[in-house]
Amino acid sequence: MSESKEIYENDTLINTDTLPTTNQEADTYIGHEQHDATPSTEQGENDVKSGEDVASATNASDNDDDQEGDTSNDEGDNISNSVPEFNNKRIILQRFTVYNSSATMYIVGSNAKETLFRILEIGKDPNNDDALEIMEDKSYFYTRKDMIELLNGLDESIEGGIHKIAQGYGLLGLIKFTKGFYLSIITKCSQVAVLGGHFMYHIDETKLIPLDINYRRPEKYSDEERLLSIFKYLDLGKTFYFSFAYDITNSLQTNFMRNKKAATDFKYSVPPNNRSNDNFNTFEHNERFVWNNLLLKPVLENADIATYEWFQPIIHGFIDQAKISIYGKKFYITIIARRSHHFAGARFLKRGVNDRGNVANEIETEQIVSDMLTSSFHDPRFGFYNNPRYTSFVQHRGSIPLYWTQDLNRLPKPPIEINLSDPFYQSSAIHFNNLFQRYGSPVIVLNLIKTKEKIPRESKLNSHFTNCITYLNQFLPEEHKLRYHSFDMSKHSKKNLDVIAPLQKIASKSIKEIGYFHNGKSLSSTKLQKGVIRTNCIDCLDRTNAAQFIICKEALTHQLRGLSLISEDKSLDYDSDLINILTEIFHDHGDTIAVQYGGSNLVNTMDSYRRINQWSSHTRDILNSVKRIYSNSFMDSIRQEAINLFLGNYIYHPDKPKLWELQNDFYLHNEMAIDNIRIKVSYIEWFNKLYLSDSRFSFHEGEYLTSDSYWDPQSKLEPFPDSNDNWFNECYVPRKFQSLSEVFQYNMNSNARYFPSNTDNMFDYSPFDSRKPRQDDPLSSEKSAKSGESNLRYLDGCFDEVESSRTGDYWNEGHANYYNRSSIGQNYLNITNPIKIKKYFTNKMGKLGYNDSKRRQDYRGSDAHYDSSLKSDTTSEDKFFLYDNPQGVVIVPKSNESDLHLYKSQMEIPRLLSSTTAKVDYDKDPHDLKVRMNDREVYDYYSTVLTNSTSSEIWMTSYHNSGQMSYNANDLRLYSQYLGIDEDKLVSLKADDDYFT
């Protein structure tokens, strides 16, 4: 009691982490860790009602707030046709402080500004050790002064007082192992995305708090101690996410449509019995993706508690967001991956499907593209959830829905075994029927596993899967059959065949068929996604992630067109800033999913399939393969036990086998017992016809009399009763002091990091244009000038320059025929091992200090050096290849005056242009040459073909006399250094090659 008096003495709070020190100081209190200039009590009362005023204002929502999150939808008689009731939140609790006493735990929750407070009491049920008594006065909000008085009163009236034990940013729920409950609380979190003004958070750290204040550490080697250590093995501080006000368990389409439909039904007084489309009639969370269902269960069992106002449902998966700027206009790309908690587990321990149709490694990936002209989901002209600047696309991945396993003891490539016969594919039928229910028709199946192998492994599973699709399709109507595509991605990659184009073609066709979600200005004008693309390989990791990236890239094109951000004929280049950012997000997405399921990062990324940085990719792939094998061998078993315990697949009972004593967890995920033998599932009508109906996704104008053709104040959609989307106060916290560098939107990943710090008008800031270096780009030339790479790009582009110049008036038909590529061949590209030769040329050119960017700078600069003696000696054809300069002179590599004088005294230009000694008989086949760096023949041949010489007479005699000179004298001077001819006779240069270094 004495300790309690120290905390609250004379109405003074000594620990000021959450509450003000005194009642008088409440007006100037600054909230903890937020640096908020929080308003006084009177100001808070002006913003929202408190006490009995709030109670009277919220009575309409009290009846249903405690039902939020339940699976039942008790509408009917309790819902009035004119004033329906809904299950939305009233306020957002974002700060939580936990106090404990000898018999009861008190949780004080407040809003972000910490001006309004509520309190929750959790106590033990004296009649049942497995139950809790949870109480809350939902009709009363406390001001800061009221809460201080209440806590002081509790401290004085309760024996032993109350003690502050923790504070955090969210509550996950309560769990019991063998005896006693624990409260799981979020102590650290970080913002990862913002959508419609609502932030999404990554859980960084959690804390498990015993409910009993007299808690003692469990005895060593006891069941409680072992279960507690297994539970903690599942790190909730990695890849778990939550949001205070946005339902991240459902797709954007579901969240929009359920609110738009509820508001439209209320506006036009649609009776509850006439409300079609069960997909959008409830406000429940998607139970499949809520990972803390077990922890929420004790709270949901208390009907008087508004569970989801206090406790946050969390998802396991991945969330990332990027900001793209189009000349200052912003739009966001958000990727949300939701992992199903059904049949969840580690890689080799969870394969295939269970008897309830749930597949392993099932993940729903959503790509949201939003134009940030306005932040919220609402439109100032068309009203509630009618912002037409939001689009999304959803796709699905999951293991092949058959009963198959792999033996963990036979790594690294354990054989695939079909170990349970299912001749009528009942579990597969349940799985695809569930996809029809969630996404509609059609379901497009993209199978990426191998089709042919010397030793059947993946191909054996492929044949079974093909038979499964064929069997199920024979009972479906023609327009709703499963669309099956099989593509051996591994074979195409190993044989250096094109992997991207075939997948892009499948993606383009599929997206045109199923569409994407684009919010409209009214319910009837909204475009919905009907159907889903289901992608799988063996692990649903590497190949699946690459395929899903290609699908998302294609969907992104349609989404940007729908938002009028690009034209209808515009396509997105793989080397553009936008796709580079999307690639990075999907790499992180794939790595996260791979670590969760396989224990290591992706083995093959998009760089592997695009053949970019193959050496570094190959090294990384080997390391990740070793990590994955290690994780599968030593870590997967304990990880699987932690997942089963956290999800409630295993519930402790003293008379049943312990979790660590189980040989396997098959019976935890499968219910093989038959309750009623007379109830049989049809083998023919395995699908629900209602799930195939398009009426679930259609809203006719006759049902909702709306018009978008002109602005009418009456057509603005107003919120329905009890709706509360206080997005502005969440996104822009009033009276909060914050520097710009701390704002999440300012620090978000953006394409601005690709912009150069200092540039001229030549740089294009468009995120849609390719950033692949062009051969004539001076910026890219400067970066590689020292290594001579710009010269090689210049040489490689010579043929393209000739081709483009042929269309001019200068070229006649004879010139065009002579420079036809078919006549000169492309042996300069096909020569054996050109990498070594290019390396040799790179080093030599680097020594000479001769590069294209330097040549241009010398020309453009005021101190450029010209050799006027060359002008009279060059032919008209030479001048044609000179750079566009008014002098029409040949540019000489810049050097100091003494070097230039020595160079000109030793160089005989007329002899170079008219020499008849430069003749070499060369009749060897380039493919017969031995490839070595010091091989003279390869050196000579490669130098020859660079100058378009295909006969045995090299260089100038025949070409110059016939008027068919193809390069300028400046190039000849460079090439002469590398010709396989006596250079002293040809050039008369009495110095080493590295003279200019």
Side-chain angles (χ1 to χ4, degrees), residues 624-638:
N624 288 335
S625 297
V626 174
K627 290 180 182 179
R628 187 172 293 183
I629 294 174
Y630 173 81
S631 176
N632 298 152
S633 302
F634 303 104
M635 311 298 293
D636 280 2
S637 297
I638 183 67

Side-chain angles (χ1 to χ4, degrees), residues 276-503:
S276 60
N277 200 330
D278 293 335
N279 279 3
F280 310 127
N281 275 343
T282 64
F283 285 86
E284 301 170 357
H285 293 90
N286 193 334
E287 182 272 341
R288 178 176 294 274
F289 302 115
V290 178
W291 271 66
N292 56 336
N293 273 324
L294 177 67
L295 282 73
L296 294 174
K297 186 176 180 181
V299 188
L300 291 170
E301 290 174 350
N302 291 265
D304 295 331
I305 304 301
T307 302
Y308 293 107
E309 293 183 12
W310 285 93
F311 296 86
Q312 284 71 41
I314 62 174
I315 67 170
H316 190 30
F318 174 81
I319 297 180
D320 198 5
Q321 190 174 53
K323 174 177 60 178
I324 308 299
S325 173
I326 313 175
Y327 303 112
K329 183 180 179 66
K330 302 289 193 304
F331 71 91
Y332 289 173
I333 297 180
T334 311
I335 301 295
I336 303 177
R338 310 174 182 93
R339 178 180 291 276
S340 171
H341 70 80
H342 296 297
F343 204 48
R347 180 188 179 198
F348 285 117
L349 301 178
K350 285 293 164 286
R351 294 294 211 189
V353 68
N354 65 1
D355 65 332
R356 293 165 239 176
N358 300 311
V359 295
N361 198 23
E362 180 182 2
I363 297 169
E364 177 185 275
T365 300
E366 181 178 18
Q367 176 177 274
I368 300 173
V369 180
S370 53
D371 181 359
M372 298 311 297
L373 184 63
T374 55
S375 300
S376 74
F377 296 140
H378 320 298
D379 188 84
R381 173 178 174 182
F382 299 101
F384 187 69
Y385 276 88
N386 279 338
N387 188 342
R389 300 176 181 88
Y390 281 87
T391 66
S392 76
F393 179 79
V394 176
Q395 55 181 320
H396 179 276
R397 76 165 73 182
S399 186
I400 296 177
L402 299 172
Y403 288 104
W404 62 281
T405 59
Q406 288 180 283
D407 189 358
L408 188 60
N409 298 320
R410 301 175 66 179
L411 293 174
K413 284 191 176 182
I416 295 174
E417 300 176 0
I418 312 291
N419 52 6
L420 187 61
S421 177
D422 188 8
F424 300 103
Y425 301 104
Q426 288 182 281
S427 296
S428 305
I430 296 174
H431 171 70
F432 285 112
N433 187 48
N434 179 261
L435 292 183
F436 283 135
Q437 178 186 11
R438 288 153 58 187
Y439 305 109
S441 174
V443 172
I444 300 172
V445 180
L446 178 56
N447 182 22
L448 303 174
I449 64 178
K450 299 177 182 177
T451 56
K452 291 183 180 180
E453 295 174 296
K454 293 181 179 179
I455 301 177
R457 187 172 165 268
E458 292 187 16
S459 57
K460 178 171 62 175
L461 188 59
N462 181 76
S463 61
H464 282 271
F465 191 30
T466 304
N467 294 337
C468 169
I469 299 296
T470 303
Y471 174 83
L472 297 177
N473 266 342
Q474 64 180 328
F475 307 115
L476 282 169
E478 185 65 31
E479 64 274 13
H480 299 297
K481 289 184 183 295
L482 301 173
R483 315 288 202 270
Y484 180 72
H485 300 278
S486 180
F487 178 70
D488 192 340
M489 195 170 178
S490 179
K491 181 186 74 174
H492 280 68
S493 179
K494 289 180 179 179
K495 291 187 176 182
N496 290 330
L497 300 175
D498 190 4
V499 176
I500 308 298
L503 291 176

Side-chain angles (χ1 to χ4, degrees), residues 813-866:
E813 190 65 27
H815 289 92
N817 292 336
Y818 177 78
Y819 284 102
N820 192 306
R821 287 198 178 189
S822 61
S823 62
I824 64 174
Q826 296 186 3
N827 291 331
Y828 75 105
L829 294 177
N830 298 329
I831 189 168
T832 306
N833 203 344
I835 298 178
K836 292 184 177 181
I837 301 175
K838 281 201 172 188
K839 183 178 179 182
Y840 177 79
F841 270 86
T842 299
N843 295 335
K844 297 292 288 184
M845 292 179 181
K847 284 185 176 183
L848 285 175
Y850 187 89
N851 59 78
D852 184 59
S853 63
K854 184 175 180 181
R855 189 167 64 235
R856 295 189 184 198
Q857 291 174 359
D858 290 344
Y859 161 68
R860 292 172 183 171
S862 59
D863 56 345
H865 296 270
Y866 305 102

Side-chain angles (χ1 to χ4, degrees), residues 7-237:
I7 299 176
Y8 293 92
E9 185 175 359
N10 298 328
D11 286 348
T12 301
L13 181 63
I14 304 301
N15 190 331
T16 60
D17 286 342
T18 303
L19 300 177
T21 55
T22 63
N23 295 342
Q24 290 76 14
E25 294 176 355
D27 295 345
T28 58
Y29 169 68
I30 298 179
H32 67 89
E33 296 184 8
Q34 294 300 312
H35 308 290
D36 296 353
T38 310
S40 63
T41 303
E42 290 76 16
Q43 289 173 329
E45 291 174 353
N46 292 333
D47 292 338
V48 288
K49 298 180 181 180
S50 63
E52 287 78 3
D53 294 337
V54 175
S56 61
T58 58
N59 283 335
S61 64
D62 291 341
N63 296 332
D64 259 343
D65 280 328
D66 57 341
Q67 299 293 334
E68 185 176 1
D70 291 344
T71 55
S72 61
N73 183 25
D74 300 330
E75 294 183 345
D77 297 336
N78 294 330
I79 301 179
S80 172
N81 293 348
S82 58
V83 184
E85 297 178 359
F86 301 93
N87 299 327
N88 273 352
K89 302 178 182 179
R90 293 169 294 168
I91 68 169
I92 302 175
L93 299 178
Q94 299 187 21
R95 304 291 180 268
F96 302 90
T97 307
V98 181
Y99 299 87
N100 214 341
S101 67
S102 58
T104 306
M105 175 179 284
Y106 298 93
I107 303 177
V108 176
S110 69
N111 58 359
K113 296 184 293 182
E114 297 186 87
T115 56
L116 294 176
F117 298 83
R118 292 167 62 184
I119 189 167
L120 184 71
E121 302 179 24
I122 304 177
K124 301 177 183 178
D125 189 340
N127 301 323
N128 186 358
D129 293 337
D130 296 330
L132 294 172
E133 289 184 345
I134 305 178
M135 295 178 293
E136 175 202 12
D137 188 357
K138 297 182 299 180
S139 61
Y140 199 94
F141 294 140
Y142 297 88
T143 62
R144 187 183 309 280
K145 181 178 179 180
D146 296 335
M147 182 54 64
I148 292 176
E149 293 176 352
L150 175 62
L151 292 177
N152 287 334
L154 291 174
D155 179 62
E156 296 174 356
S157 60
I158 296 176
E159 183 179 356
I162 60 175
H163 307 270
K164 176 184 174 181
I165 56 178
Q167 62 185 33
Y169 299 93
L171 306 176
L172 298 182
L174 298 135
I175 189 172
K176 177 184 177 183
F177 301 120
T178 62
K179 56 180 180 180
F181 281 87
Y182 298 84
L183 172 69
S184 182
I185 183 173
I186 302 171
T187 55
K188 289 183 180 180
C189 62
S190 56
Q191 297 171 345
V192 292
V194 59
L195 203 62
H198 304 296
F199 285 104
M200 304 177 195
Y201 299 87
H202 176 268
I203 300 176
D204 297 328
E205 186 178 294
T206 60
K207 187 176 183 180
L208 207 59
I209 304 172
L211 198 63
D212 190 354
I213 195 173
N214 298 318
Y215 173 82
R216 293 183 178 180
R217 185 180 296 274
E219 296 181 3
K220 199 172 184 179
Y221 305 117
S222 64
D223 291 347
E224 179 79 8
E225 190 270 341
R226 189 157 187 177
L227 288 172
L228 187 61
S229 63
I230 293 175
F231 181 87
K232 291 181 178 179
Y233 187 82
L234 183 65
D235 190 358
L236 294 177

Side-chain angles (χ1 to χ4, degrees), residues 23 60 137 142 190 194 239 381 430 444 466 501 504 506 551 602 633 636-637 640 643 651 682 705 808 914 941 943 989:
N23 295 342
D137 188 357
Y142 297 88
S190 56
V194 59
T239 63
R381 173 178 174 182
I430 296 174
I444 300 172
T466 304
Q504 194 163 331
I506 295 174
I551 295 172
L602 289 173
S633 302
D636 280 2
S637 297
Q640 186 65 57
I643 292 174
I651 302 296
S682 174
L705 301 177
S914 60
Y941 178 78
S943 300
L989 182 64

Side-chain angles (χ1 to χ4, degrees), residues 575 770-777 780-781 793:
D575 294 302
S770 175
R771 296 297 181 204
K772 193 173 183 180
R774 297 188 299 269
Q775 296 169 356
D776 58 344
D777 187 1
S780 62
S781 299
R793 286 198 299 271

